[in-house]
Amino acid sequence: MKKIFFALLGVALMAGNAVAQDFEKNIYGVRAGLNVSNVSVQGLSADSKAGFHVAGVYQRLLLNTHPLYLETGLQITQKGFKTEFLAETTKINPLYLEVPVMVNYKFNIKDVVTLYPSVGFYYALGIAGKGKLETAASEEFGTEAQTDKYDLFGSKGVMKRSDFGMRVSATAEWQQFVFSLGYEFGFVNVAKSVEFDSDFEGEDFGGSDWAKMKTGNFFISVGYNF
């Protein structure tokens, strides 16, 4: 019995090692793709805007016996939205440096394609971006045609630099090629109240007080794992 027990134990250990060898411990890749982003704002309807993202991705195997990975990286991502009110159109285009931290579990389908869901969080730091206010000429509202631009995260900007939220995605891998789609939704109120001038020379433009503005972003990525 002892011999049989140790023989079976040895076979199990060898099988476990064989399984572990099937999983890459470190995976590096690059991603690029399309963003379709928007915001949720109390009392305001906003339209989505298209943007882009480029990223470097790193995945680390967490278990030797199962394809459970920690997924992180660094990406440049452009988000934004557009609003229209009376004769005014506001366009917002923030650019973020973003770090996601997620976990994924990989399902291999007949050694042809690998599918995996990912879930986790992200932190985004605003590094650039412009806001634009376009006012149409209107006798009804007593306005003249003009366009005002400002630094989105500056003293006259309307958004805070930091954003934090949840990120979910689904990915398909074929050989070294990768296709993903997913969604990010922010937890943080990124709006700030500011007062600024329309021509930055003293004319009162009013201000922005968008309470509880939170970001949302649908993304599609293509990529390659080295």
Side-chain angles (χ1 to χ4, degrees):
M1 288 295 294
K2 287 184 178 180
K3 291 182 179 180
I4 294 175
F5 171 77
F6 284 114
L8 292 174
L9 180 61
V11 171
L13 291 173
M14 291 175 63
N17 289 334
V19 171
Q21 291 175 1
D22 289 338
F23 306 135
E24 293 184 72
K25 289 190 175 181
N26 299 283
I27 301 174
Y28 300 89
V30 291
R31 307 283 188 268
L34 171 72
N35 292 339
V36 180
S37 57
N38 206 330
V39 292
S40 60
V41 185
Q42 185 176 5
L44 180 67
S45 176
D47 296 325
S48 299
K49 287 204 68 180
F52 70 90
H53 62 269
V54 291
V57 176
Y58 171 67
Q59 299 178 63
R60 170 67 181 179
L61 184 66
L62 296 177
L63 300 174
N64 289 329
T65 56
H66 293 85
L68 180 68
Y69 286 83
L70 173 69
E71 180 181 348
T72 186
L74 187 65
Q75 72 174 19
I76 300 292
T77 182
Q78 183 191 49
K79 302 179 183 181
F81 63 95
K82 181 176 74 172
T83 66
E84 296 181 358
F85 181 72
L86 299 180
E88 297 178 344
T89 299
T90 301
K91 297 179 181 179
I92 302 296
N93 295 284
L95 187 68
Y96 291 98
L97 183 64
E98 186 168 298
V99 179
V101 179
M102 311 166 70
V103 291
N104 66 57
Y105 192 92
K106 303 195 174 186
F107 300 91
N108 184 266
I109 311 298
K110 297 183 178 180
D111 293 326
V112 175
V113 64
T114 299
L115 305 176
Y116 60 89
S118 302
V119 61
F121 302 94
Y122 72 89
Y123 172 75
L125 178 67
I127 56 175
K130 292 294 183 180
K132 180 190 292 186
L133 177 70
E134 298 175 342
T135 304
S138 172
E139 294 183 2
E140 180 182 359
F141 301 116
T143 58
E144 297 180 356
Q146 63 181 27
T147 299
D148 301 300
K149 297 180 180 180
Y150 50 92
D151 180 0
L152 194 56
F153 299 111
S155 60
K156 299 180 184 297
V158 297
M159 295 181 69
K160 301 172 185 176
R161 287 188 182 273
S162 292
D163 190 18
F164 172 77
M166 192 168 187
R167 177 183 171 104
V168 295
S169 65
T171 301
E173 293 181 357
W174 176 71
Q175 296 183 359
Q176 302 297 106
F177 299 97
V178 179
F179 174 81
S180 300
L181 55 86
Y183 190 77
E184 300 172 330
F185 46 95
F187 296 154
V188 177
N189 178 15
V190 296
K192 66 179 181 181
S193 179
V194 295
E195 296 290 333
F196 48 90
D197 299 330
S198 59
D199 57 5
F200 304 107
E201 293 179 358
E203 294 183 12
D204 183 24
F205 173 66
S208 170
D209 191 5
W210 295 343
K212 297 181 180 179
M213 181 168 73
K214 298 182 179 180
T215 60
N217 180 47
F218 172 77
F219 60 89
I220 300 175
S221 302
V222 293
Y224 186 84
N225 289 336
F226 299 104

